[in-house]
Amino acid sequence: MYNGTGLQTPRGSGTTGHVQSNRFSVRPPANNSGADPTKGLVTAGKPNKEILEHDRKRQIQLKLLVLEEKLIDQGYSDAEIAAKLDEAKEHEDSASNALLISGKY
């Protein structure tokens, strides 16, 4: 037995009683210094404009896809669907551009 670990006696256990250390056990580092524990953490900065623009375009595409499925279910022809989708896309683009200009997005 080593530091209270292992068998009292290896007799009858089918082992030699040899104790090995667990080298894959990762312990958190001791934070004994009086330093600020939040120091070094990355804080969220300003969102990337390209990512926001991409997300806005994805939302528009999703709305157009839902509209297209509704129009197909209602029995519109392909030409009517294309015309309505173009009209809706222009409306969504102008509405989202107005939000971007006003700074609310």
Side-chain angles (χ1 to χ4, degrees), residues 51-69 84-100 105:
I51 293 175
L52 292 175
E53 178 68 18
H54 178 74
D55 189 43
R56 182 184 67 83
K57 288 179 181 178
R58 286 184 62 222
Q59 294 298 324
I60 291 172
Q61 284 298 112
L62 178 64
K63 289 178 184 179
L64 292 175
L65 185 63
V66 170
L67 176 64
E68 182 180 12
E69 288 177 358
K84 288 188 183 276
L85 287 177
D86 288 340
E87 180 183 326
K89 183 174 182 178
E90 290 297 324
H91 180 266
E92 288 291 332
D93 282 340
S94 64
S96 63
N97 284 338
L99 286 176
L100 284 175
Y105 196 83

Side-chain angles (χ1 to χ4, degrees), residues 12-80:
S13 68
T15 65
T16 63
H18 181 73
V19 176
Q20 295 181 346
S21 64
N22 184 356
R23 295 172 194 251
F24 293 101
S25 175
V26 179
R27 294 181 183 172
N31 192 5
N32 293 335
S33 65
D36 185 17
T38 59
K39 185 178 180 183
L41 295 178
V42 177
T43 59
K46 294 181 181 178
N48 189 339
K49 290 181 182 181
E50 293 173 354
I51 293 175
L52 292 175
E53 178 68 18
H54 178 74
D55 189 43
R56 182 184 67 83
K57 288 179 181 178
R58 286 184 62 222
Q59 294 298 324
I60 291 172
Q61 284 298 112
L62 178 64
K63 289 178 184 179
L64 292 175
L65 185 63
V66 170
L67 176 64
E68 182 180 12
E69 288 177 358
K70 281 183 184 179
L71 294 175
I72 289 172
D73 290 341
Q74 292 175 1
Y76 284 95
S77 69
D78 290 339
E80 292 173 327

Side-chain angles (χ1 to χ4, degrees), residues 1-2 5-20:
M1 180 160 62
Y2 180 72
T5 306
L7 303 170
Q8 292 289 336
T9 176
R11 290 184 67 184
S13 68
T15 65
T16 63
H18 181 73
V19 176
Q20 295 181 346

